[in-house]
Amino acid sequence: MPDSAELETLCQQLAQALQQRGWMMATAESCTGGLIAGACTGLSGSSVWFERGFVTYSNLAKQQMLGVPESLLVAHGAVSEPVAAAMAQGAVQQSAAQVALSVTGVAGPTGGSVEKPVGTVWFGWQLAGQTLTEHHLLAGDRAQVRAQTVQIALAGLLQRLQAIA
């Protein structure tokens, strides 16, 4: 798990990458409940590059705030690749941000299933007209799964920003 200094450094690097492009970011969070937005806005001056955060814990919130189609939620469940993608897309569409990240998962200790055990997290990133997704099965207790999710989501966005020429 990252410590607070590592997380702050990651947020600073992300801030720099976004500011170099004149872009802002948005977050669409379910299992992290706003921890990613909190990490970003923990930096002074983050209003230059952090546009907004959506905490969409319920399926209804995902539909109302991000425009996630109910049909996707019914067909695939909230913790799924299509929903992570739709959340990231919706965060860009419902904000003034150019890039977004999304997370939806099972942090535990309850809520897991054979198909989606505790620690299952889907990530989405929307940038440069592309939607990218990734799946991780994380180990640990609820706090550890959530902390790892924050780290992976932010590092994933930074990596994808750096890959854009």
Side-chain angles (χ1 to χ4, degrees):
M1 254 188 350
D3 64 25
S4 59
E6 286 177 282
L7 189 56
E8 184 175 338
T9 298
L10 178 57
C11 287
Q12 288 169 344
Q13 292 170 335
L14 183 57
Q16 183 179 18
L18 288 163
Q19 288 177 79
Q20 284 174 345
R21 291 163 178 80
W23 289 354
M24 297 191 84
M25 71 173 279
T27 59
E29 302 181 63
S30 188
C31 62
T32 49
L35 293 174
I36 300 170
C40 291
T41 59
L43 286 183
S44 179
S46 57
S47 61
V48 172
W49 55 273
F50 187 86
E51 207 276 328
R52 72 181 72 183
F54 297 92
V55 177
T56 56
Y57 210 72
S58 72
N59 285 350
L60 184 60
K62 288 173 183 65
Q63 293 171 58
Q64 290 180 343
M65 296 173 72
L66 300 171
V68 175
E70 182 180 14
S71 59
L72 280 185
L73 292 159
V74 170
H76 304 282
V79 180
S80 64
E81 181 176 26
V83 170
M87 289 171 67
Q89 292 164 357
V92 168
Q93 292 166 356
Q94 299 299 322
S95 71
Q98 292 75 31
V99 302
L101 62 80
S102 67
V103 295
T104 182
V106 183
T110 61
S113 67
V114 172
E115 300 83 21
K116 299 174 186 177
V118 169
T120 300
V121 181
W122 276 99
F123 297 82
W125 297 275
Q126 178 73 24
L127 66 161
Q130 282 192 298
T131 307
L132 306 156
T133 57
E134 197 170 283
H135 168 262
H136 287 260
L137 182 56
L138 306 173
D141 64 18
R142 183 176 183 83
Q144 291 169 323
V145 168
R146 288 165 44 117
Q148 290 171 77
T149 299
V150 171
Q151 172 81 17
I152 292 165
L154 291 169
L157 181 56
L158 178 60
Q159 175 187 2
R160 285 156 179 83
L161 280 168
Q162 290 171 335
I164 297 172

